[in-house]
Every structure is written in C-alpha cells, then in structure tokens.
Amino acid sequence: MSPIPKRGPMGGIVAVTGAAGFLGGWVVRLLLDKGYRVRACVRDASDDSRVGFLKAMPGYASGRLTLHSADLDNPGCFDEAFKGANGVAHISHVSAYNDPDYVRRTCDHIIASINGSGSVTRVVVTSSIAAVISEMDLQEIVRRPVFYEDRFPDETNPKRTPERGQGYSMGKLIAERAFAEAAEASGRWDAITCCPGDNVGPIQSAHQKDMGPWQHLIEQMLEGHCRQTDVYRPWMTVDVRDDAACHIGLLESAEVWNGERYIAWSTDTRNVEDICADIGRLLPELNHDTPPVTDPFPERIQAREAEFRAIWALGDLRNDRIRAVTDVTFRPLDDSIRDCVESLLSIAKVRPKVRAAAV
C-alpha cells in the first residue's frame, strides 16, 4: 500500500481513535502541526473535561480538526469518522482485556468500519511491549534477552491466562493479528503495529494523569508515595511525544509492509527508585520531599530481588527498526520526567510533598 497523502484539500485526512487519551492527544497535536486534517474520535465529544484541550488546539477553530463521539463497544460507531479518511491511528483501548472473545468482536467491528470507508489505505494499531516481553517465567528473558520486533511472549506457558494477569498482553496480540489478517484479506489497506514502551512525558489535560500507569506513578511520587515495580522490572521508556511521532512516521512510511510491528522506545531503562529521586535532581527548585520506596511484595519475592534485577539487566533493548523507517529521534528520559512533572503541577494541579523548611 502507499503511505497516506500528507497535505491538500483532497487528502491527508487521519482519524484518531482514543484521541482524548495521553498518547492519542499527542498524535492529534503532531498531525495538526504537520498540516493534516484530523478526525478525533472520543467517547463523548460534549465532555469538555476530557476534550476541552482538543477544542483549544488551533485546528479546531478552523475546522481542520473535528471531534466525533464514538463508543468503541458499539458496532458502526466509527463509520462516519472513517469514511473518506486516508489513514487511521487506532490508539483507543477496549474496555477490558480479560475476555478474548470480546476483544475479537471489537476488532471485527472496527475493521468493518475500515472496510466500509472506501478510502482508508493504512491503519497503525497501537499495541505494547507487553506483546513482546510479558513472561510468566522470567527465565525466558535469560533464554531470549534481545527485545526486538520478532520476539513474542512464550504463548505455550500454561500460566499465560487472563486470570493470571496476562489478558492485556494476550489482547494486544489478538488485535495485532486480527488487523493484519483483515488487511491482507482486503487488499486495499495495510495494518502496521506500533509497540510502545512505558509512556512518560507531559499531559495535555488534567484527566490524563490517570490514563496510564507511568504518569500516575509520577503523580504518586510527587505526593509522597513510591511503590516498587512487580518483580523489580525497570521502566523501559518512550517519551509520549516521540511515541506519537512514531505512529505518524509509520502512517507516512513507504518502507513498511502489512503485518509488520515496530517497537517504539528510547532503549533507556531506569529503576523506579531512581525515577523518584530524579524529581528532586531535575527540579531542585521544587524542594520535593523524596519518599522512600515501599516494597509490598511477599518475603519470598523480596528474597529474590537481586536475582530478578540481574535478569532484567540482561535485556538488550532495540529500536533500530523504527529508526530505519521513520525520522524519529528519541528524547532523553530526563526531559520526559521533567516535562511530566511540570505538566502535572501546572495542568492537573498536583500538590507535591515538599521538605520542611530548615530551622
């Protein structure tokens, strides 16, 4: 398939699902910055607490950005927004990931809207690194330590079930395969998967502080709470703005093929306790009272901390493939943390815990 046309009154129209979200909002903004016409699909276009930041973007006043109410669970909800569009950035989440049949049904009705559009030639589907490295046996990381696009979780492990917390990873793989297979069957559009790392960076609306684990964890750190990560996994990050640029780059690229997946991360890793301490290091003016890290896990897990950290240290993170097909340059994690903190303070009005004044 050809990449989507970028400009002009008859082309360059992109529909973005999940447009009110943390990542979706940045995809909308960067598309507008590049001259596209954007159809932002949100659950309720009249809910200004969630879409007000979109209406404040310059493209909204001119009509280059339009908002469309679409409840993901309703078949046909994207028919209007997709009709006449050249590309789709499908970023929105399903309501729950613990029912594989529900995930498949949702994919099917979104695919029906794409097929019925008569115009869409490319879809970028947001997946996750959870579709790359979500292991029920960490020894899989010892056996397969290179984290790149051709790596998948061990799907033969009998413990890999929704009931054991694997629903999200399993659901993302269901979606990756459903869209690629439907695109191949259609022959009129292609589906490219983007697998982002841990999104960190500035929010654009107050509600987004709760729309992803990483900015919410930084919010909690600001307020004086820092929880250790499961099995001592380090953060494997991408700036949300770079992630958005990766999605757009994949929409535009002439060097990608249906069914391909691309990991979007900077390859920076950092332990949660260091992220917490970084707030004070990067913003000393804040006088942040850095909280201790709490470890809520059973003693049998805590006893294996050194072992788990050593396993994660084996991970060889790769991003050479997405850099080869897009022009994205990844920001340093320090910039992402600083900008996330400042946006939480200024936009979400988070009140940080500060050190007592010296006597």
Side-chain angles (χ1 to χ4, degrees):
M1 297 291 110
S2 300
I4 61 172
K6 298 182 182 180
R7 302 183 189 281
M10 299 303 292
I13 302 172
V14 180
V16 180
T17 72
F22 186 41
L23 172 58
W26 278 108
V27 171
V28 170
R29 183 176 291 278
L30 296 189
L31 282 168
L32 291 171
D33 288 348
K34 297 193 75 170
Y36 287 95
R37 286 163 172 78
V38 182
R39 297 175 182 173
C41 302
V42 298
R43 188 171 293 273
D44 181 359
S46 67
D47 183 358
D48 282 349
S49 69
R50 299 176 76 86
V51 304
F53 79 103
L54 294 169
K55 293 178 179 179
M57 292 182 184
Y60 183 74
S62 69
R64 191 159 57 92
L65 166 64
T66 55
L67 270 59
H68 303 260
S69 294
D71 185 333
L72 187 73
D73 292 336
N74 295 331
C77 67
F78 294 115
D79 287 356
E80 175 191 353
F82 289 2
K83 189 175 182 61
N86 306 110
V88 172
H90 175 42
I91 298 168
S92 61
H93 286 273
V94 294
S95 302
Y97 286 93
N98 57 1
D99 182 351
D101 291 336
Y102 158 69
V103 175
R104 291 187 187 93
R105 287 196 305 272
T106 304
C107 291
D108 287 345
H109 76 67
I110 297 168
I111 288 164
S113 294
I114 295 167
N115 283 331
S117 71
S119 56
V120 171
T121 60
R122 176 161 295 170
V123 179
V124 173
V125 179
T126 305
S127 185
S128 169
I129 56 166
V132 177
I133 60 169
S134 184
E135 303 294 356
M136 290 305 294
D137 177 3
L138 284 189
Q139 290 303 311
E140 280 299 317
I141 294 172
V142 177
R143 290 186 281 268
R144 300 182 295 137
V146 182
F147 298 164
Y148 68 123
E149 283 79 358
D150 293 342
R151 190 188 191 285
F152 291 83
D154 178 11
E155 297 184 77
T156 66
N157 191 312
K159 295 180 180 178
R160 184 172 165 80
T161 65
E163 293 75 22
R164 289 180 174 265
Q166 290 290 299
Y168 179 74
S169 174
M170 295 169 71
K172 288 299 186 183
L173 284 172
I174 288 170
E176 287 187 25
R177 292 160 179 164
F179 280 87
E181 290 167 4
E184 183 177 1
S186 167
R188 293 191 298 105
W189 54 280
D190 54 28
I192 316 299
T193 295
C194 186
C195 296
D198 305 333
N199 275 289
V200 182
I203 63 171
Q204 297 186 81
S205 177
H207 77 281
Q208 293 172 351
K209 72 181 179 66
D210 300 318
M211 294 192 69
W214 312 105
Q215 68 269 30
H216 180 57
L217 289 170
I218 291 178
E219 175 196 8
Q220 291 179 325
M221 293 173 188
L222 280 168
E223 294 175 336
H225 310 284
C226 184
R227 179 185 180 276
Q228 185 55 255
T229 52
D230 292 354
V231 291
Y232 305 94
R233 173 193 177 286
W235 290 26
M236 303 174 180
T237 60
V238 61
D239 189 287
V240 66
R241 296 161 292 190
D242 298 338
D243 188 5
C246 286
H247 279 70
I248 296 168
L250 293 175
L251 281 168
E252 295 175 341
S253 180
E255 301 177 53
V256 299
W257 297 88
N258 180 58
E260 290 185 331
R261 64 198 319 232
Y262 292 87
I263 299 176
W265 56 14
S266 67
T267 72
D268 283 340
T269 65
R270 201 167 293 180
N271 291 329
V272 65
E273 57 268 25
D274 298 320
I275 297 279
C276 191
D278 286 338
I279 296 173
R281 177 177 63 84
L282 296 170
L283 291 166
E285 302 87 351
L286 194 58
N287 200 32
H288 181 236
D289 188 3
T290 304
V293 179
T294 59
D295 190 336
F297 301 109
E299 288 186 6
R300 61 182 177 81
I301 299 296
Q302 294 186 30
R304 300 179 66 185
E305 177 178 352
E307 174 192 352
F308 290 146
R309 288 187 186 274
I311 290 174
W312 287 114
L314 296 173
D316 180 5
L317 282 62
R318 302 286 182 86
N319 65 10
D320 45 297
R321 291 189 182 178
I322 200 160
R323 288 189 291 106
V325 299
T326 71
D327 60 0
V328 174
T329 300
F330 291 95
R331 290 171 173 82
L333 179 54
D334 278 0
D335 289 0
S336 307
I337 295 170
R338 180 201 62 214
D339 294 350
C340 179
V341 169
E342 292 192 330
S343 69
L344 288 168
L345 299 175
S346 62
I347 295 173
K349 307 303 180 186
V350 172
R351 298 181 60 134
K353 184 179 180 183
V354 298
R355 294 190 298 271
V359 179

